[in-house]
Amino acid sequence: MAGTTPPPPPDNSNIQGLLIRGYTHPYSCHLLFSFQAASVTLNTKDFFAELYPKVQSAVDWGNNKPVSMLNIGLTFNGLSMLGVTQPNSTFPAEFQQGPWSSASQQSLGDFNASSPDNWWYNNFSNTALHCVVHAYGLTNDALNDLISFITNAALANGLTELLPIKDGDGRLYQSIIDDNPAKIHFGYVDGISEPALSMPSNHSSRNQADLDNFLIGYPQYSIIDPSPSGDASTNSEAKFAFDGFYNAFRILYQDVAGFDNFLIAQATNPNNVAKLAYLGLNQDELVEWFAAKLVGRWRNGSPLVLSPNAPDPATAKSENFGYATAGVPSPNQDVPSSFKCPFSAHTRVSNPRDQTLTPGEGNLGPVRIVRRGMSYGKELIGNTDDGVDRGLIGLFLCGSIAQQFEKLYGWMNYNNFSPKPDFSVKNPPQDALLGNRPTAPNLTNYPGVVSTFTIPIQNPATPDQPDSIVISGLPEFIQTRGTAYCLMPSLNALNYLATGVMA
């Protein structure tokens, strides 16, 4: 890439496939490693050489789905150990400093039990994590064979495996909930509402959902201009990062018993029952109604905007909807939809679609990330906590950690991205599901934030008298167990680590 000459369109064979497609392999394990200073220059090359043939690119596999495959991510500390980074690095500050930095924590808000000081159960330090290998298998045997292959290569070449959780053997295995790999422990189907990353032969029409905003090295077309920027023919970091992308790798414990009992408490609250009597729902149905209001979708995936009264298989994966109401003057055009989907429902916060945004928060529409999530830990039977570590393995893929991942996380912790009457400017709420509820002395990070969740309701019999259910003291359903910012290098860059030669 020389001068200002536009690069050619991205090449699928040079991109790690995790970005382009959601793998449907039902078995996965996410292995964490640390490089050792005494062996890094000699042995890591052999480690990458052994793994490289099994790295899955974005090339369409057609009907020949691989039995097993892997992808590789590297932290900034890992890249530094490998000699990839420069003294005055052009990689973005948030990637260099890590998610535990004070700057990143302004958005992530990992307080109290979620504090970076507690990550990984203190089995290792945040800075010791250098490499994450994501392994996938069509069968459990295929996955176990691949895990043995990876760990044997690591052991033979001086890498140390890091164990991030307390249960089992300490590794992050995907678990299957209710016989459905797409479900999370809270019972919702996940993996809906992903950007459609196209690969056209030209760049004549681009938008925020296009691949240019997720891959590094295409500033001519990218809205976010992901870095490190510069001429890849002269900037070695830019050359290494070209066709790569970032992965905010985040492990989130889910308090399933607390969540289930919270829903039951709301469905049996006499005040709530009285206000919702017009719906004619029994207790179990009210539990599902509250679960849908917290997230913005029914647990089968049906969006409340399209299916406000009950889940519908016909709308389970529907994406063609918005929150603005035609014919209603701005800024009030978003209000009518709140009777179907509350403003602070999780899916509405993470993707407000056509909802009015505060100037500067999204002049070109909401930013997007690609999510590849899967559950870990044994499924909870009943609604009594059994002490098992369970939750979500989140792979949040983007071209800019700060402008995509951290921006959206900031929205979830501080709902101030839309003007009145959507949110209170002085007392903004949080994402109903993922908000990290601050307590003293952490209130200064989110001045005025409240832990109330408002569900607007409108009885058809009295449409001119809208009401609401206000839940005070919304619990913290999720705790952060660990986070790492990784670069997912191109196949060319991984080949360089394996051979010492950059194509």
Side-chain angles (χ1 to χ4, degrees):
M1 192 168 76
T4 58
T5 302
D11 178 2
N12 279 5
S13 67
N14 196 37
I15 302 167
Q16 293 204 59
L18 194 61
L19 178 67
I20 306 300
R21 65 168 78 220
Y23 299 154
T24 55
H25 291 61
Y27 301 93
S28 71
C29 184
H30 307 267
L31 302 158
L32 283 57
F33 295 102
S34 181
F35 303 139
Q36 302 304 305
S39 62
V40 69
T41 56
L42 296 176
N43 295 353
T44 52
K45 181 183 293 185
D46 292 337
F47 172 73
F48 289 110
E50 289 191 53
L51 266 58
Y52 182 80
K54 297 183 181 295
V55 175
Q56 181 61 44
S57 76
V59 171
D60 188 354
W61 58 51
N63 295 323
N64 299 313
K65 183 182 291 188
V67 174
S68 64
M69 60 189 186
L70 60 85
N71 288 118
I72 300 173
L74 297 162
T75 66
F76 182 80
N77 289 329
L79 293 178
S80 298
M81 291 281 285
L82 295 170
V84 171
T85 62
Q86 303 299 308
N88 296 313
S89 177
T90 59
F91 278 102
E94 64 276 6
F95 178 57
Q96 295 188 47
Q97 296 167 6
W100 54 84
S101 70
S102 58
S104 290
Q105 283 300 314
Q106 290 296 312
S107 297
L108 302 185
D110 293 315
F111 306 123
N112 306 321
S114 293
S115 168
D117 293 337
N118 301 324
W119 286 356
W120 319 115
Y121 287 97
N122 292 124
N123 290 340
F124 53 89
S125 68
N126 291 316
T127 56
L129 175 53
H130 299 146
C131 176
V132 181
V133 180
H134 309 279
Y136 301 87
L138 282 179
T139 65
N140 195 45
D141 287 343
L143 175 65
N144 287 332
D145 288 344
L146 182 58
I147 291 172
S148 295
F149 172 82
I150 295 167
T151 54
N152 287 339
L155 182 64
N157 293 293
L159 280 72
T160 300
E161 184 179 0
L162 306 175
L163 302 177
I165 61 173
K166 68 176 184 179
D167 291 340
D169 61 8
R171 291 174 179 158
L172 287 163
Y173 294 93
Q174 177 178 355
S175 56
I176 299 177
I177 309 304
D178 195 25
D179 296 324
N180 186 349
K183 271 193 176 182
I184 64 172
H185 283 287
F186 286 158
Y188 302 91
V189 174
D190 198 16
I192 306 171
S193 185
E194 299 282 25
L197 302 186
S198 57
M199 298 286 284
S201 59
N202 61 71
H203 295 79
S204 59
S205 176
R206 315 302 291 169
N207 59 55
Q208 182 64 45
D210 284 333
L211 188 60
D212 297 335
N213 291 293
F214 291 82
L215 281 181
I216 297 170
Y218 299 85
Q220 292 88 344
Y221 314 113
S222 174
I223 295 170
I224 62 170
D225 189 12
S227 55
S229 58
D231 190 339
S233 65
T234 59
N235 182 334
S236 61
E237 287 185 334
K239 186 172 185 178
F240 185 89
F242 184 74
D243 271 353
F245 53 94
Y246 294 107
N247 174 17
F249 179 68
R250 195 156 166 88
I251 310 304
L252 300 171
Y253 165 78
Q254 295 177 326
D255 181 5
V256 181
F259 183 73
D260 289 344
N261 288 317
F262 169 82
L263 294 175
I264 293 171
Q266 301 311 310
T268 56
N269 180 298
N271 183 54
N272 295 346
V273 172
K275 286 190 174 184
L276 299 175
Y278 72 92
L279 294 172
L281 303 178
N282 62 35
Q283 180 180 319
D284 290 341
E285 291 168 333
L286 281 175
V287 164
E288 293 306 309
W289 186 88
F290 277 101
K293 292 294 182 176
L294 288 172
V295 170
R297 288 180 181 268
W298 297 91
R299 292 207 239 207
N300 78 327
S302 293
L304 286 174
V305 170
L306 299 180
S307 303
N309 299 319
D312 182 354
T315 63
K317 294 186 178 180
S318 296
E319 286 299 295
N320 188 24
F321 65 90
Y323 300 112
T325 302
V328 178
S330 181
N332 298 303
Q333 63 180 175
D334 305 324
V335 174
S337 65
S338 69
F339 291 111
K340 296 179 179 178
C341 180
F343 288 120
S344 290
H346 169 62
T347 59
R348 185 163 184 168
V349 172
S350 60
N351 183 13
R353 299 174 181 269
D354 59 349
Q355 180 175 311
T356 306
L357 300 179
T358 303
E361 287 294 338
N363 295 331
L364 297 169
V367 294
R368 302 300 309 279
I369 55 174
V370 173
R371 297 171 295 111
R372 308 296 186 207
M374 60 285 297
S375 297
Y376 76 91
K378 185 175 66 174
E379 183 176 2
L380 178 67
I381 305 300
N383 55 11
T384 300
D385 185 36
D386 56 6
V388 171
D389 190 2
R390 59 173 59 85
L392 181 74
I393 305 168
L395 286 70
F396 302 97
L397 312 181
C398 54
S400 170
I401 295 169
Q403 296 183 62
Q404 290 171 286
F405 174 72
E406 290 186 353
K407 187 179 185 71
L408 287 180
Y409 236 97
W411 285 8
M412 289 190 284
N413 283 323
Y414 200 76
N415 293 172
N416 64 347
F417 55 88
S418 286
K420 289 183 177 181
D422 299 4
F423 295 123
S424 167
V425 176
K426 291 185 178 180
N427 302 112
Q430 294 184 304
D431 184 301
L433 194 67
L434 261 67
N436 284 327
R437 320 293 179 213
T439 57
N442 301 309
L443 298 177
T444 54
N445 281 351
Y446 300 127
V449 71
V450 297
S451 58
T452 54
F453 179 57
T454 300
I455 306 175
I457 55 177
Q458 191 173 37
N459 189 332
T462 56
D464 57 338
Q465 300 175 30
D467 198 353
S468 63
I469 291 175
V470 180
I471 300 171
S472 300
L474 197 66
E476 189 172 69
F477 299 117
I478 288 173
Q479 293 177 4
T480 307
R481 292 290 190 241
T483 306
Y485 288 164
C486 297
L487 174 72
M488 307 293 291
S490 68
L491 275 290
N492 283 341
L494 291 173
N495 182 65
Y496 166 75
L497 296 178
T499 65
V501 178
M502 178 70 83

